[in-house]
Amino acid sequence: MKHYQDAETGQIHAFEDGIDPHTLNNRNIPTMLSEDIRPKPDDSYVWHQGDWIKQEDAPPGYTQPLSSIPSYNPAWMAYLLPYSAVYRDEASGLNISLDQINANFYDGNKLAEVVATLPLGTPCGIPALISYDGAVAIPQCEDFPCKADGVNKLNEILCSLLLGGVHTEVLHSNALVVGSLQDGIRLFAYTLSLHTRLRFNGAVITDRLQPLMFPRVLMVTEIQEAYSQGQQVVKAIHNFSPFFLLNGYTAMVYRNNSDALNNLWITVEQLTDYLWTEYYVKNKSTFPARVAKCHDHLKREKQLKNIWAKHQLLRLSKIISKECHKALCQARNKRNDLVHDGIVPDLQIVEALWKALPELLEVASGIRELCVRRLYGGGANNWSIPARTNFDEWAELATKVL
């Protein structure tokens, strides 16, 4: 190996013997590499104007120098779950055969190829990208400068898809994928996952069979239409936080009832405040006399700030339906039990609240028949014990261990 030093940063780069980095024409290699290596004495030294100096000798306001080599197309990324294949049209599937999967002889690079875009409406004007295997990428640019910004925007995208009727799951910061657009055609991920192993043909057969043979298939038009509808909702309700709805739905799917109720109730509070301000207060004089009578009574009792009172008036003014109001009352009581007494709510309460939320979202946004109504969070994650069990061997082993 032969070593070179970057005259801009002091970093050392190594290349195989016989390779001249100056002739490689690789845009990721610093242009100011020198064969004259100046070793760093110890960690108390910093690089300044082509040499190492003591930290205390650095000029006021000194900062570590950055390489002039830009980071090309860096991206924050998340994956659509469960594992999905995104088709441009009915004939665009990779049609990976069982023999190819068994022999691990499929073209993994194809999985990462970009098949669709989604408009972000941000100052940079760069859209989100979606790969064949369901990676959603946004640029690491000034619009999303840090990890938290990336997570927030990706969750907004995922929630928009959810509102448009496509099952998605929440992205937590520990699952954020760092990657880039590579070769102008595919999304490369630096973060190891099942997706990266499948792309590089590095997954064992038990991991590659299900996703490659039986992925969830989504059409580009289906994703774009869902995203468009969801974005209309997100933009229409100024105090709506997509994360909480998405997190509550995901928790419900995985039967984490406490988290589901807490997060969905935050969404209820946000939507209630919006409906109260925009639909009730601004139109209070137009409602029937019985609404005014109830309002005056609650005002005298100093109860108007309570959410149950707002729900009562929203129902009386017919902004929300009786069925929706009933579900909200039940959920509010169970959330109070959870907060004050630690009583975990039943799944039925959570599901009833979830089914009531589309009405609040539709009224608040003015968009009717949201496709999120198709999603009820049931299915494979509805765990239960087997019909018949036998634990004799378990008990016997426990006795032996003791």
Side-chain angles (χ1 to χ4, degrees):
M1 299 289 289
K2 188 171 182 179
H3 293 81
Y4 296 81
Q5 190 165 41
D6 184 357
E8 288 185 304
T9 65
Q11 292 180 323
I12 304 298
H13 298 260
F15 296 88
E16 296 287 346
D17 291 333
I19 294 180
D20 183 356
H22 299 102
T23 63
L24 291 179
N25 195 30
N26 187 320
R27 65 182 183 179
N28 294 306
I29 297 177
T31 57
M32 299 180 64
L33 292 181
S34 172
E35 298 182 43
D36 180 20
I37 305 295
R38 298 175 182 271
K40 185 177 183 178
D42 57 56
D43 289 340
S44 66
Y45 283 74
V46 295
W47 188 260
H48 180 64
Q49 295 182 350
D51 204 354
W52 299 105
I53 62 173
K54 293 285 284 187
Q55 176 74 57
E56 57 265 26
D57 296 333
Y62 169 85
T63 57
Q64 290 281 0
L66 295 174
S67 173
S68 59
I69 301 296
S71 178
Y72 291 97
N73 306 307
W76 305 118
M77 294 166 49
Y79 296 112
L80 297 176
L81 298 174
Y83 190 95
S84 304
V86 182
Y87 289 13
R88 289 191 181 93
D89 53 57
E90 294 289 350
S92 66
L94 295 182
N95 296 320
I96 300 173
S97 69
L98 181 58
D99 288 340
Q100 288 176 312
I101 294 173
N102 286 333
N104 203 18
F105 195 67
Y106 60 91
D107 189 355
N109 283 327
K110 291 287 187 181
L111 300 174
E113 289 189 2
V114 173
V115 297
T117 65
L118 296 174
L120 296 177
T122 54
C124 74
I126 304 174
L129 302 176
I130 301 178
S131 65
Y132 178 92
D133 62 358
V136 182
I138 60 175
Q140 287 185 31
C141 62
E142 58 273 14
D143 295 331
F144 317 108
C146 67
K147 187 176 184 178
D149 297 314
V151 172
N152 288 339
K153 189 60 180 181
L154 286 167
N155 274 320
E156 179 192 311
I157 293 172
L158 295 172
C159 185
S160 295
L161 294 175
L162 181 76
L163 289 167
V166 176
H167 170 92
T168 56
E169 298 179 14
V170 71
L171 171 69
H172 293 293
S173 57
N174 63 305
L176 178 68
V177 177
V178 177
S180 64
L181 175 63
Q182 189 180 68
D183 301 327
I185 191 173
R186 64 180 60 87
L187 294 177
F188 180 83
Y190 300 106
T191 309
L192 183 64
S193 67
L194 173 63
H195 286 75
T196 55
R197 291 194 295 271
L198 290 170
R199 291 174 175 185
F200 289 104
N201 297 76
V204 297
I205 188 170
T206 52
D207 285 341
R208 60 180 183 260
L209 183 61
Q210 176 67 31
L212 295 181
M213 199 70 183
F214 307 106
R216 174 180 61 160
V217 174
L218 297 171
M219 306 302 295
V220 166
T221 53
E222 177 185 2
I223 290 177
Q224 291 174 334
E225 289 171 1
Y227 178 73
S228 177
Q229 187 179 71
Q231 280 287 286
Q232 292 179 62
V233 175
V234 171
K235 293 176 180 178
I237 310 171
H238 64 81
N239 65 331
F240 171 60
S241 301
F243 170 81
F244 296 108
L245 180 68
L246 182 61
N247 199 31
Y249 171 77
T250 305
M252 179 180 67
V253 168
Y254 288 96
R255 303 307 189 244
N256 189 344
N257 296 345
S258 297
D259 277 358
L261 182 57
N262 273 332
N263 281 275
L264 294 180
W265 191 255
I266 291 174
T267 301
V268 169
E269 297 258 5
Q270 292 176 343
L271 296 175
T272 299
D273 283 346
Y274 186 85
L275 292 174
W276 178 258
T277 302
E278 300 297 326
Y279 285 77
Y280 180 80
V281 174
K282 290 184 177 181
N283 301 287
K284 185 163 66 71
S285 61
T286 66
F287 297 128
R290 65 191 184 110
V291 178
K293 183 177 180 181
C294 180
H295 181 102
D296 292 340
H297 171 73
L298 292 171
K299 185 177 182 179
R300 286 194 302 272
E301 297 295 322
K302 298 181 179 181
Q303 298 289 343
L304 277 181
K305 291 185 178 180
N306 293 335
I307 194 168
W308 67 265
K310 292 179 179 179
H311 285 162
Q312 178 72 8
L313 289 169
L314 289 174
R315 181 187 70 81
L316 286 176
S317 58
K318 297 185 178 181
I319 294 174
I320 63 174
S321 67
K322 290 182 180 180
E323 293 76 13
C324 180
H325 180 252
K326 179 180 178 181
L328 295 177
C329 288
Q330 291 176 334
R332 187 190 70 250
N333 290 333
K334 293 302 180 181
R335 183 179 180 273
N336 289 339
D337 291 341
L338 172 63
V339 172
H340 299 294
D341 301 316
I343 300 174
V344 177
D346 293 333
L347 178 63
Q348 289 76 10
I349 294 296
V350 177
E351 288 184 329
L353 177 59
W354 171 255
K355 293 175 182 178
L357 274 169
E359 179 177 324
L360 296 182
L361 289 161
E362 289 171 353
V363 175
S365 66
I367 302 168
R368 299 299 178 181
E369 297 302 320
L370 288 174
C371 294
V372 70
R373 288 182 176 275
R374 300 196 299 249
L375 303 175
Y376 291 110
N381 291 309
N382 190 10
W383 302 298
S384 60
I385 65 171
R388 299 180 62 184
T389 59
N390 186 311
F391 293 97
D392 292 346
E393 291 179 340
W394 192 319
E396 182 181 348
L397 175 60
T399 301
K400 292 178 180 179
V401 171
L402 289 175

